[in-house]
Amino acid sequence: MTEFADDPQTFRAQIRAWLERHCPPEMRSPAHGEDDICWGGRRWTFRSDAQRQWLNAAAAEGLTVPGWPRAYGGAGMSSAQVQVFDDEMERIGARSPLESFGIWMLGPALLKFGTDEQKRRYLPPIARGEIRWCQGYSEPDAGSDLVALRTRAEDRGDRYVVNGQKIWTSYADQADWIFCLVRTDATAPKHRGLSFVVFDMHTPGVTTRPIKLISGKSPFCETFFENVEVPKANLIGAENGGWTVAKYLLTQEREMIAGRARGLHDGRPLWQVVQELAGDAKGRIVDPILRDRVARAEIDALALTATIERYVEDAAHGHEIGDRSSILKYCNAELNQRRQTLILEASGADGLRWDFVRSDGGEVAPAWLRAKANSIEGGTAEVMLNIVAKRLLDLPAE
Amino acid sequence: MTEFADDPQTFRAQIRAWLERHCPPEMRSPAHGEDDICWGGRRWTFRSDAQRQWLNAAAAEGLTVPGWPRAYGGAGMSSAQVQVFDDEMERIGARSPLESFGIWMLGPALLKFGTDEQKRRYLPPIARGEIRWCQGYSEPDAGSDLVALRTRAEDRGDRYVVNGQKIWTSYADQADWIFCLVRTDATAPKHRGLSFVVFDMHTPGVTTRPIKLISGKSPFCETFFENVEVPKANLIGAENGGWTVAKYLLTQEREMIAGRARGLHDGRPLWQVVQELAGDAKGRIVDPILRDRVARAEIDALALTATIERYVEDAAHGHEIGDRSSILKYCNAELNQRRQTLILEASGADGLRWDFVRSDGGEVAPAWLRAKANSIEGGTAEVMLNIVAKRLLDLPAE
Amino acid sequence: MLAYTDDEVMLARSADDFLARFASTKHLRRLRDGRDDTGFDRGVWHEMARLGYAGVLVDEAHGGSAFGHVGAGLLCASFGRHLSTSPFLSSAVLGATALRSALASAQRCWLPRIAEGEAIVALAVDEGRRHAPASTALSAERSGEVHVLRGEKTLVVDGHVADAFVVLARTSGRPGDAAGLSLFLVEADRPGVSVRRQDMIDSRNAARVTFDGVRVATDTAIGPVDGAGPIIDDVLDAGRIALAAELVGIAREAFERTVTYLKRRRQFGHAIGSFQALQHRAAQLHGQIELAQSTVVKAARLRDLGDPRAALFASVAKAKAGDAAERATDEAVQMHGGIGMTDELDVGLYLKRARVAGTLLGDRHLHADRVATLLGF
Amino acid sequence: MLAYTDDEVMLARSADDFLARFASTKHLRRLRDGRDDTGFDRGVWHEMARLGYAGVLVDEAHGGSAFGHVGAGLLCASFGRHLSTSPFLSSAVLGATALRSALASAQRCWLPRIAEGEAIVALAVDEGRRHAPASTALSAERSGEVHVLRGEKTLVVDGHVADAFVVLARTSGRPGDAAGLSLFLVEADRPGVSVRRQDMIDSRNAARVTFDGVRVATDTAIGPVDGAGPIIDDVLDAGRIALAAELVGIAREAFERTVTYLKRRRQFGHAIGSFQALQHRAAQLHGQIELAQSTVVKAARLRDLGDPRAALFASVAKAKAGDAAERATDEAVQMHGGIGMTDELDVGLYLKRARVAGTLLGDRHLHADRVATLLGF
């Protein structure tokens, strides 16, 4: 593994050189659809040689998770260094070598709440893209209100027996392991009886069923547990202490969704997309009303990006983002919905056809429909506003 | 007094002829400011001979209150006939001969809840513009929440002694009489101890102080009562039954504010005003964004007008407007605020000067500032939405 | 003038009953998932014709029921509520309205068949991404006693099942000129006509229709050659009012289902409909739907009365109803939460149809612009 | 890059303390109600100069404190919070920035006096209702060694107390041309200059200034004659960032007062801040103010770093901050209810200043247009 220098300028040069050598040219363009994303896992089939090379090269240096400790498969970078790494990736338009719920969510939770053994067991396979994770939070009657969770885990000495149903488990049908919230004490009030457990999706009694969305096929599944046996060693954090882990994880998720906006859109500026659809020969968007609305969306996008930058800097100075991630999550969802609506409108009648794709390969109608979920998944817009009102503004409960 | 025909066409012809003969030419243009409105009352000074003639002519026929019974100073018209009368007034751009809180609010309440003696005593002077009324509802700690009213009326046998303070009493400093809500039973819960009383503003113990608004001078006052003696004969409705009268009256007020939009603006279409401020030689509003926003405001104005028309027709068919007036009130306030904001923006830097007036004499900055109150006075926007949610949509209380 | 007559109320009720049984979202799903070639149920359409729906804008002399635009609007509102598919918009509104300006012989030939649901006559107007009749490029060149049509139309509603097209063509001037436009009635089986169905997000019918040197007799022109402008506006406005009515139906149904859900669904120990933030959004939406509905009735009545303000109100209604339907369906998804995103619930079907109906014959931006132009600013 | 340094934090704190004591809304009311001729307190302004505020954009060689645009932004945010009146925007930002492009002799003459608060140099740019530098009609005709200025400027901030004006004039081309513009430094006591104060809704200083054949030496030109375009943009952007910072200060103060009121005021038996509909509106507003603040810091930092994106972000910040301040002050009135409409409360003062500051040097509509142009669409 490369020894990275402390000196920022040398460090940047190292990263630049490393990327130059190891990032295949095919991986230097934004991902357009599911097929361009590498999720890894036991059952993963690489879409191209380049995708495989890129993952292997990055994993060998710990660069799939640059901020994690080297002992657990990361590169041990400081947050300032991670920022430089991200900048340099962005500069050459490099795709992420590996996307995964293990990286975004389980990893940070394990780093904070896991035992050393748990970290050694679960983190490196995540970093190398060997094990693909899914998360089991929501249930049919417990969406925003996780306190209403009903999936129960009965204590059978050295193991739990899990029964219940989860919904919105992304890629449950392709994941190897699941981390989820279960009720270990049915008598405890509200969230006090919840525990955070992990288990293999191949365990007998686990079944999944894909969910079709208004936008078409989706990664989401319903997941059913029928007498699933889970060793107690698979408990993360304390028994009945799952709420603490889950809360931390939800914040991570919001920061992730909000802050890096990964997966929400393809990364091209809105105005370029609209310009191609509705611009004249000189590149001016002909309809002044559409042009104005795009300008306002760009203003808000630049404002949101600057806010993320500011909060991240704050965090580097010791002032955690914390509940402010709810602002980012809320605004980011709203902004992507506006983006997709404007692209749809710029496409006019063409945008109303399922088979219409943009010149750059981007989908229009499905992306517009899919974006409607941005303000629901990972915490609804309403829940985000409640958090801002109650925790940031300290407004009273009724 | 003229005998009006039942036949609609003859009736319309009669009205048209009457207006032709009696409405002075000076009264056939929209009122621009306070000075153009005739409020009547003991202390009234007519602004012009035309104003006096117009009031006298109308009052002689009962046409200041065309829908009231003839016995009480009205013209005894059906609501369909009143509609025709209004149409014909509008056709020639005639100003209302008399505006008053007595007409809009006290009158309807008396017609519904007053004794015959009360009607005979109070209604004709209202119709003739001889007595000017003000209303005392709000108090400093009871704005939207009238249940919190604290002005109390102690029972002293044949009279009450009133102590307390009212706020937002329009023209209290110029009114002759007041109708107001007072608490006659301090022990009864919430609104059950309220009564509706009327009394002369010259009664010893009544004082008023004008309120200056952000838009400048205003008709609003604070009104103070110190041991004001009110004969029990001045009670309207039952003792401790004031809430019923007040609720009816609030609905009247909303319908009035919402439905006829009197006084909210000067009646010129928004687009004409903006066209004069920001149009080119051909009358096109040059800035496409401004033009679009004006168009959307006009669409909503036409939609609101059509809705009022629809509800009024419904009412004529026996389906009362009722709580639907809250929709009208809400939309009307919002629309006038948009109107004034668009006029302000069309005026650019000029609109930011106190001394700037439009070519037609309309004020810009004061009208914009004054409009901010539209969504507060007569029931806040929030209260209107609560009413719609709870009473029209039947959404549950928490 | 805006209240409904007893006859109208009865028409609306019977339509609601009929559509709930024979042309509901359940039927739409069946057509969609079965990838039905026709895109609607011909048996149901014949039954609708028998009830007088297909002849709603056809005079009685030609076998129509002549319910007028208010009647058509009531039917469309019901179509919106149930997401019923049928060739009503294309044939009974657009086709029939256009044909009323055709030669008497053409009227005699086509109007009774439209009213009986035997023939479908579709309007071919758009060519590009935006609804812009003045941009028409499809040319109709005169050659002796015939005109030769060359060009392509898109988003032709029911194009792939039409027996004939009313085609907007340019007979002089250039694309962009408001003048120089003509309408021709072209039978679908004329040599040179080819049709390709389009796969729309609302699972409804639309087609791309190519006219490759199609020769039509000059007497198939509807209205004056080169001067069909006023007729075109009139036909399009009939369609816009119908679409606006459908949009209000969509908005109202999506909204009512949402309000029902708000009362039923519990979260954090309360019915979510008791949360004031949702209450206020619902109340605002209710107001907007009320406003939109008024514009639709007003536009339809004015048109039935021959009032010249009907054109203005057609645009007002199309803009306002499009806006209300967009907001109502967006909020329906959001307020239903995750379940609202699933194909299993009908909410998504309303969302998609609202967007297509909102775009057809001009979206709310185009109609705001037209309102400005018609008012004169 | 967007976080504040310790020095900056200290500057902001000391400004807040100072302004709360000497230039608060109370002082603004005193100036307003006393119809003060100057429109600000000269003693306070001298004290502000002593603290380095007046020289914030003046280099140390000319006696300035050179805090830069981030520092200026922090001060402006404080001015916004307290509604402090002073010639900061006109002289310390616009005047000083313009003079940095003047001849060395002019810089030596004026910059130290600006930094000391001894001289006020105002920018005269607008002529009509809209901020539109390219529309400049005021002419400067060359006549030997002098230029002769003819025309009228409006909304000249601090115009009636200025010792000199930086005047935007047309030296060639026609109103509407972006080229052909020049800047001249004109002393207020030159023959032909006349000034009339304007009565603004924010009770601040602005004046109409007439130049009736004013002769100025050609070496008073700032930057190249006929080609001052880039300098003008640079000067205006400095002012826009300062105004954006003030607007965020206004938005934040109005918002915080509102949140405090929401916690205190009770209605229907509850603190009104417990009503979810108000909570959600407050939360949205808070987010918008956060976003606006980020754009202001970003714009100021980029400018201090000489980054060419500073122009884009000046417009982004002006648009976003104007929007946030408008919403925050509108909501402040609405959420305060009736009392918010009274002159007695400060809310109205914030509302009025927000509108004026939002309009000065281009409103959010103009800057949205500029963002589109700068991004290239």
Side-chain angles (χ1 to χ4, degrees):
Chain A
M1 284 175 86
T2 316
E3 273 307 318
F4 290 115
D6 280 344
D7 167 60
Q9 280 191 308
T10 319
F11 175 79
R12 190 180 286 274
Q14 282 179 309
I15 293 296
R16 219 175 257 213
W18 186 88
L19 284 174
E20 200 41 59
R21 201 160 66 239
H22 291 99
C23 183
E26 300 92 321
M27 295 290 106
R28 299 187 189 188
S29 67
H32 271 311
E34 269 307 309
D35 267 3
D36 293 342
I37 297 170
C38 178
W39 290 100
R42 285 177 200 145
R43 284 178 283 181
W44 185 252
T45 329
F46 287 99
R47 286 356 179 215
S48 64
D49 281 346
Q51 194 182 57
R52 179 201 309 271
Q53 285 162 22
W54 181 216
L55 171 60
N56 290 341
E61 289 288 355
L63 290 175
T64 54
V65 285
W68 291 9
R70 290 204 163 193
Y72 306 134
M77 289 185 190
S78 70
S79 58
Q81 289 179 312
V82 172
Q83 188 62 53
V84 170
F85 177 70
D86 283 351
D87 287 352
E88 290 299 321
M89 289 274 284
E90 202 185 323
R91 203 179 51 81
I92 63 166
R95 285 179 204 170
S96 171
L98 179 67
E99 303 274 352
S100 101
F101 291 95
I103 295 176
W104 304 328
M105 299 202 269
L106 180 63
L110 278 173
L111 285 167
K112 192 164 175 100
F113 299 101
T115 62
D116 188 55
E117 200 198 311
Q118 287 171 333
K119 290 179 199 169
R120 287 188 187 282
R121 178 171 174 199
Y122 299 119
L123 292 177
I126 291 174
R128 291 192 300 265
E130 291 164 2
I131 292 293
R132 183 168 177 184
W133 289 81
C134 63
Q135 72 165 337
Y137 269 30
S138 299
E139 297 182 7
D141 287 319
S144 294
D145 179 17
L146 289 180
V147 159
L149 290 178
R150 291 198 294 203
T151 293
R152 64 193 189 281
E154 281 169 65
D155 191 328
R156 298 280 170 87
D158 61 341
R159 62 194 199 285
Y160 298 111
V161 173
V162 178
N163 278 284
Q165 181 193 348
K166 295 286 175 184
I167 195 170
W168 308 119
T169 26
S170 307
Y171 301 109
D173 52 343
Q174 289 163 59
D176 306 310
W177 277 65
I178 188 168
F179 52 94
C180 65
L181 268 183
V182 294
R183 192 165 287 285
T184 36
D185 183 349
T187 64
K190 296 190 167 176
H191 53 258
R192 290 206 202 112
L194 297 174
S195 296
F196 192 93
V197 295
V198 302
F199 51 91
D200 195 314
M201 290 292 278
H202 286 132
T203 320
V206 180
T207 51
T208 63
R209 190 171 70 190
I211 297 173
K212 189 180 170 196
L213 290 188
I214 59 175
S215 45
K217 274 198 294 188
S218 88
F220 298 111
C221 296
E222 293 178 283
T223 305
F224 304 90
F225 307 130
E226 202 186 331
N227 295 321
V228 178
E229 306 210 340
V230 178
K232 280 206 175 160
N234 293 15
L235 177 75
I236 311 291
E239 190 174 78
N240 297 330
W243 185 244
T244 314
V245 186
K247 239 176 36 185
Y248 175 77
L249 231 149
L250 280 177
T251 313
Q252 288 296 313
E253 185 180 11
R254 268 160 218 162
E255 278 190 38
M256 186 275 293
I257 292 180
R260 312 191 65 180
R262 269 189 222 254
L264 267 195
H265 64 75
D266 54 30
R268 282 187 79 199
L270 169 66
W271 66 267
Q272 286 180 8
V273 177
V274 175
Q275 189 177 52
E276 282 181 16
L277 289 163
D280 65 13
K282 287 180 180 162
R284 188 180 176 94
I285 296 171
V286 182
D287 176 356
I289 312 305
L290 180 63
R291 179 170 177 269
D292 178 64
R293 290 162 72 213
V294 171
R296 280 162 210 273
E298 290 295 1
I299 287 169
D300 283 344
L302 290 167
L304 180 58
T305 310
T307 305
I308 294 166
E309 190 181 340
R310 180 157 72 87
Y311 286 0
V312 168
E313 267 191 60
D314 276 358
H317 288 82
H319 176 34
E320 268 188 55
I321 296 184
D323 290 323
R324 291 184 296 169
S325 68
S326 298
I327 298 174
L328 306 180
K329 164 77 171 66
Y330 177 86
C331 292
N332 204 35
E334 191 268 338
L335 201 55
N336 190 49
Q337 289 171 343
R338 258 160 82 196
R339 172 190 172 92
Q340 302 301 345
T341 302
L342 286 166
I343 293 173
L344 184 80
E345 288 188 17
S347 306
D350 284 342
L352 305 175
R353 288 176 11 227
W354 283 120
D355 55 356
F356 175 70
V357 288
R358 290 156 21 195
S359 64
D360 58 11
E363 291 187 317
V364 172
W368 165 67
L369 289 161
R370 179 62 185 77
K372 300 288 175 201
N374 296 158
S375 50
I376 298 169
E377 59 203 347
T380 64
E382 290 79 12
V383 167
M384 295 304 105
L385 294 176
N386 285 343
I387 292 174
V388 174
K390 301 235 160 69
R391 301 204 204 138
L392 295 180
L393 303 179
D394 198 28
L395 286 167
E398 207 159 337
Chain B
M1 285 176 84
T2 316
E3 272 308 316
F4 291 114
D6 281 345
D7 168 60
Q9 279 189 308
T10 319
F11 175 78
R12 189 179 288 274
Q14 282 179 309
I15 293 296
R16 219 175 258 212
W18 185 89
L19 285 173
E20 200 42 59
R21 199 161 68 240
H22 292 100
C23 183
E26 301 91 322
M27 296 290 107
R28 298 187 191 189
S29 66
H32 272 310
E34 270 307 308
D35 267 4
D36 291 343
I37 296 170
C38 177
W39 290 99
R42 287 178 199 145
R43 286 177 282 181
W44 186 253
T45 330
F46 287 98
R47 288 353 182 218
S48 64
D49 280 346
Q51 196 180 57
R52 180 201 308 270
Q53 284 162 21
W54 182 216
L55 171 60
N56 291 342
E61 289 288 355
L63 290 175
T64 54
V65 285
W68 292 8
R70 291 204 161 189
Y72 306 134
M77 289 185 191
S78 70
S79 57
Q81 288 179 313
V82 172
Q83 188 61 53
V84 169
F85 177 69
D86 285 351
D87 288 351
E88 291 300 321
M89 289 274 283
E90 202 185 321
R91 202 180 51 82
I92 63 165
R95 284 178 205 170
S96 172
L98 179 66
E99 302 274 354
S100 101
F101 291 95
I103 295 176
W104 303 328
M105 297 200 272
L106 181 63
L110 278 174
L111 284 168
K112 195 168 173 96
F113 300 101
T115 62
D116 188 54
E117 198 197 313
Q118 287 171 333
K119 290 179 201 172
R120 287 189 187 281
R121 176 169 178 201
Y122 299 119
L123 292 176
I126 291 173
R128 292 193 300 264
E130 291 165 2
I131 292 293
R132 183 168 177 184
W133 288 82
C134 62
Q135 74 164 334
Y137 269 30
S138 298
E139 297 182 7
D141 287 317
S144 293
D145 180 16
L146 289 179
V147 158
L149 290 177
R150 291 197 295 204
T151 293
R152 64 191 189 284
E154 281 169 66
D155 191 328
R156 298 278 170 88
D158 63 341
R159 62 192 199 285
Y160 299 110
V161 173
V162 178
N163 278 284
Q165 180 193 347
K166 294 286 174 184
I167 195 170
W168 307 119
T169 26
S170 308
Y171 302 108
D173 54 343
Q174 288 164 60
D176 305 309
W177 277 65
I178 187 168
F179 51 93
C180 65
L181 268 184
V182 295
R183 191 166 287 287
T184 36
D185 182 349
T187 62
K190 298 190 167 177
H191 54 258
R192 291 206 201 112
L194 297 173
S195 297
F196 192 92
V197 297
V198 301
F199 51 90
D200 196 313
M201 290 292 280
H202 286 133
T203 319
V206 179
T207 51
T208 63
R209 190 171 72 190
I211 297 172
K212 188 179 170 198
L213 289 188
I214 59 175
S215 45
K217 275 196 295 187
S218 88
F220 297 112
C221 296
E222 292 178 284
T223 305
F224 304 89
F225 307 129
E226 203 187 330
N227 295 323
V228 178
E229 306 209 343
V230 178
K232 280 205 175 161
N234 292 14
L235 178 73
I236 311 291
E239 190 175 77
N240 298 329
W243 185 244
T244 314
V245 185
K247 238 175 38 183
Y248 175 76
L249 231 150
L250 280 176
T251 313
Q252 288 296 312
E253 183 179 11
R254 267 160 218 162
E255 277 190 37
M256 187 274 294
I257 292 181
R260 311 193 65 182
R262 268 189 222 255
L264 267 194
H265 63 76
D266 53 31
R268 281 188 79 200
L270 169 65
W271 68 267
Q272 285 180 7
V273 177
V274 174
Q275 189 178 52
E276 280 182 16
L277 288 163
D280 64 13
K282 287 181 181 162
R284 190 182 175 94
I285 296 172
V286 181
D287 176 356
I289 312 304
L290 181 63
R291 179 171 177 269
D292 178 63
R293 288 162 72 215
V294 171
R296 280 163 210 274
E298 291 294 2
I299 287 170
D300 283 345
L302 290 167
L304 181 59
T305 310
T307 305
I308 294 166
E309 189 181 340
R310 181 158 71 90
Y311 286 1
V312 167
E313 266 191 62
D314 275 358
H317 288 82
H319 177 33
E320 268 188 54
I321 296 184
D323 291 322
R324 291 184 296 170
S325 68
S326 298
I327 298 174
L328 305 180
K329 164 78 170 67
Y330 177 87
C331 292
N332 205 34
E334 191 268 338
L335 202 54
N336 191 47
Q337 289 171 343
R338 259 160 83 197
R339 173 190 170 92
Q340 301 303 344
T341 301
L342 286 165
I343 293 173
L344 183 79
E345 288 188 18
S347 306
D350 284 341
L352 305 175
R353 290 179 7 229
W354 283 121
D355 54 357
F356 175 71
V357 288
R358 292 160 14 200
S359 64
D360 58 10
E363 291 188 316
V364 172
W368 166 67
L369 288 162
R370 179 63 185 80
K372 300 288 176 201
N374 296 157
S375 50
I376 298 169
E377 60 203 346
T380 63
E382 290 79 11
V383 167
M384 295 304 106
L385 294 176
N386 285 342
I387 292 173
V388 174
K390 301 237 161 66
R391 300 204 205 138
L392 294 180
L393 303 179
D394 197 27
L395 286 167
E398 205 159 339
Chain C
M1 193 198 87
L2 298 186
Y4 293 118
T5 64
D6 291 344
D7 281 359
E8 287 162 354
V9 172
M10 265 187 33
L11 174 67
R13 283 214 192 119
S14 83
D16 246 4
D17 291 344
F18 178 80
L19 298 172
R21 287 175 62 198
F22 301 109
S24 68
T25 54
K26 197 175 69 190
H27 300 90
L28 173 64
R29 282 178 185 278
R30 200 179 297 153
L31 293 164
R32 176 191 77 166
D33 298 340
R35 302 199 152 271
D36 185 273
D37 279 339
T38 306
F40 62 92
D41 184 322
R42 286 197 188 265
V44 171
W45 178 235
H46 279 122
E47 189 57 26
M48 284 160 79
R50 211 187 51 75
L51 292 166
Y53 301 175
V56 74
L57 295 179
V58 175
D59 53 330
E60 287 168 8
H62 287 100
S65 57
F67 290 155
H69 288 276
V70 173
L74 285 167
L75 292 175
C76 287
S78 265
F79 298 153
R81 294 191 82 120
H82 299 284
L83 293 183
S84 312
T85 55
S86 82
F88 184 86
L89 173 70
S90 60
S91 197
V93 176
L94 295 167
T97 305
L99 276 161
R100 285 160 67 179
S101 298
L103 289 183
S105 57
Q107 296 196 32
R108 275 195 307 274
C109 167
W110 289 99
L111 286 174
R113 290 167 63 202
I114 288 176
E116 285 158 22
E118 293 301 326
I120 294 172
V121 178
L123 182 71
V125 50
D126 290 338
E127 300 181 5
R129 280 179 183 158
R130 328 228 134 258
H131 175 65
S135 302
T136 296
L138 182 144
S139 64
E141 268 182 62
R142 182 159 191 151
S143 158
E145 279 309 288
V146 300
H147 274 85
V148 183
L149 275 60
R150 266 180 228 286
E152 199 169 41
K153 294 288 180 179
T154 187
L155 211 65
V156 179
V157 177
D158 294 316
H160 71 299
V161 287
D163 300 290
F165 301 99
V166 173
V167 183
L168 177 58
R170 181 160 293 287
T171 38
S172 70
R174 292 157 195 247
D177 295 354
L181 296 173
S182 310
L183 287 174
F184 293 94
L185 181 71
V186 183
E187 286 163 68
D189 55 7
R190 304 290 297 177
V193 175
S194 61
V195 177
R196 206 167 66 240
R197 191 171 173 192
Q198 292 173 316
D199 186 17
M200 307 301 291
I201 59 170
D202 64 348
S203 314
R204 304 297 182 94
N205 290 340
R208 194 162 191 83
V209 184
T210 310
F211 298 85
D212 187 10
V214 178
R215 299 165 68 86
V216 292
T218 294
D219 68 0
T220 62
I222 293 176
V225 168
D226 248 25
I231 296 173
I232 295 162
D233 285 344
D234 181 69
V235 173
L236 293 173
D237 279 344
R240 287 159 182 159
I241 296 172
L243 283 163
E246 184 186 344
L247 284 160
V248 171
I250 289 170
R252 208 170 269 289
E253 181 70 21
F255 180 65
E256 285 178 11
R257 290 181 181 214
T258 305
V259 169
T260 302
Y261 184 77
L262 291 178
K263 292 176 188 171
R264 194 166 53 74
R265 169 83 172 174
R266 297 183 71 81
Q267 225 168 43
F268 308 110
H270 300 273
I272 60 174
S274 70
F275 297 138
Q276 199 197 31
L278 297 187
Q279 288 190 345
H280 280 199
R281 278 156 53 191
Q284 285 169 319
L285 200 43
H286 179 67
Q288 290 306 305
I289 297 171
E290 283 289 286
L291 261 57
Q293 173 159 350
S294 310
T295 64
V296 169
V297 194
K298 179 106 183 176
R301 258 317 167 220
L302 289 174
R303 204 176 149 97
D304 280 341
L305 294 170
D307 189 305
R309 288 173 301 162
L312 172 66
F313 270 89
S315 278
V316 167
K318 186 70 177 33
K320 191 72 198 160
D323 197 35
E326 188 178 319
R327 284 177 62 176
T329 52
D330 275 352
E331 282 286 39
V333 173
Q334 180 68 23
M335 292 188 181
H336 275 84
I339 195 84
M341 282 297 296
T342 62
D343 183 65
E344 212 176 317
L345 222 70
D346 287 342
V347 164
L349 300 177
Y350 286 94
L351 176 75
K352 294 169 199 172
R353 177 58 187 165
R355 183 56 74 158
V356 176
T359 304
L360 277 173
L361 308 186
D363 65 12
R364 59 206 175 84
H365 306 296
L366 179 144
H367 285 289
D369 182 78
R370 186 164 177 250
V371 164
T373 304
L374 290 175
L375 284 174
F377 64 90
Chain D
M1 192 197 87
L2 298 187
Y4 292 118
T5 65
D6 290 345
D7 281 359
E8 287 162 355
V9 171
M10 266 185 37
L11 174 68
R13 282 212 194 121
S14 83
D16 246 5
D17 291 344
F18 178 81
L19 298 172
R21 287 176 62 200
F22 300 110
S24 69
T25 54
K26 198 176 67 192
H27 300 91
L28 173 65
R29 283 178 184 278
R30 200 178 298 154
L31 292 164
R32 177 191 76 166
D33 297 339
R35 303 201 154 268
D36 185 275
D37 278 341
T38 307
F40 62 92
D41 184 322
R42 285 195 188 267
V44 171
W45 178 236
H46 280 122
E47 189 56 27
M48 283 162 79
R50 212 188 50 77
L51 292 166
Y53 300 175
V56 74
L57 295 179
V58 175
D59 53 331
E60 287 167 8
H62 286 100
S65 57
F67 290 154
H69 288 277
V70 173
L74 285 167
L75 293 175
C76 287
S78 265
F79 298 152
R81 295 191 80 119
H82 298 282
L83 292 184
S84 313
T85 55
S86 81
F88 184 86
L89 173 70
S90 62
S91 197
V93 176
L94 294 167
T97 304
L99 276 161
R100 284 160 68 178
S101 298
L103 289 183
S105 57
Q107 294 195 32
R108 274 196 307 276
C109 167
W110 288 97
L111 286 175
R113 290 167 62 203
I114 287 177
E116 285 158 21
E118 292 303 328
I120 294 171
V121 179
L123 182 71
V125 49
D126 290 337
E127 300 180 8
R129 282 179 180 158
R130 329 228 134 256
H131 175 66
S135 302
T136 296
L138 182 143
S139 65
E141 267 183 63
R142 182 155 192 154
S143 159
E145 279 310 288
V146 300
H147 274 84
V148 183
L149 275 59
R150 267 180 226 288
E152 200 167 40
K153 295 287 181 181
T154 187
L155 212 64
V156 179
V157 178
D158 294 316
H160 71 299
V161 288
D163 300 290
F165 300 99
V166 173
V167 182
L168 177 59
R170 180 161 294 288
T171 38
S172 71
R174 290 157 196 248
D177 295 355
L181 296 174
S182 310
L183 288 175
F184 293 95
L185 181 70
V186 183
E187 286 163 68
D189 55 8
R190 304 290 298 178
V193 175
S194 61
V195 177
R196 204 168 67 239
R197 190 170 173 192
Q198 293 174 315
D199 186 19
M200 307 300 291
I201 58 170
D202 65 348
S203 314
R204 306 295 183 95
N205 290 341
R208 193 161 192 86
V209 184
T210 310
F211 299 86
D212 187 10
V214 179
R215 299 164 68 87
V216 292
T218 294
D219 67 1
T220 61
I222 294 176
V225 168
D226 247 26
I231 296 173
I232 295 163
D233 285 344
D234 182 69
V235 172
L236 293 174
D237 279 344
R240 286 159 182 161
I241 296 172
L243 283 163
E246 183 186 345
L247 284 161
V248 171
I250 288 171
R252 210 171 268 290
E253 182 69 20
F255 179 65
E256 285 177 11
R257 289 180 182 214
T258 305
V259 169
T260 302
Y261 184 77
L262 290 179
K263 292 176 188 171
R264 193 166 55 73
R265 170 82 172 173
R266 298 183 70 81
Q267 223 168 45
F268 306 111
H270 301 272
I272 59 174
S274 71
F275 296 137
Q276 198 198 30
L278 297 186
Q279 289 190 345
H280 280 199
R281 276 156 55 190
Q284 286 169 318
L285 200 43
H286 178 67
Q288 291 305 306
I289 297 171
E290 284 288 285
L291 262 57
Q293 172 160 350
S294 309
T295 64
V296 169
V297 194
K298 178 109 186 174
R301 265 304 174 226
L302 289 174
R303 205 176 149 98
D304 279 341
L305 294 171
D307 188 306
R309 288 173 303 163
L312 171 66
F313 270 89
S315 279
V316 167
K318 186 70 177 33
K320 191 72 198 162
D323 196 35
E326 187 179 319
R327 284 176 62 175
T329 51
D330 275 351
E331 282 285 40
V333 172
Q334 180 68 22
M335 290 188 181
H336 275 86
I339 195 84
M341 280 298 297
T342 62
D343 184 66
E344 211 176 319
L345 221 71
D346 286 343
V347 164
L349 300 176
Y350 287 94
L351 176 75
K352 293 170 198 170
R353 176 59 187 165
R355 184 56 71 159
V356 176
T359 305
L360 276 174
L361 308 186
D363 65 12
R364 59 207 175 84
H365 306 296
L366 179 144
H367 286 288
D369 182 79
R370 185 164 179 250
V371 164
T373 303
L374 290 175
L375 283 175
F377 65 89

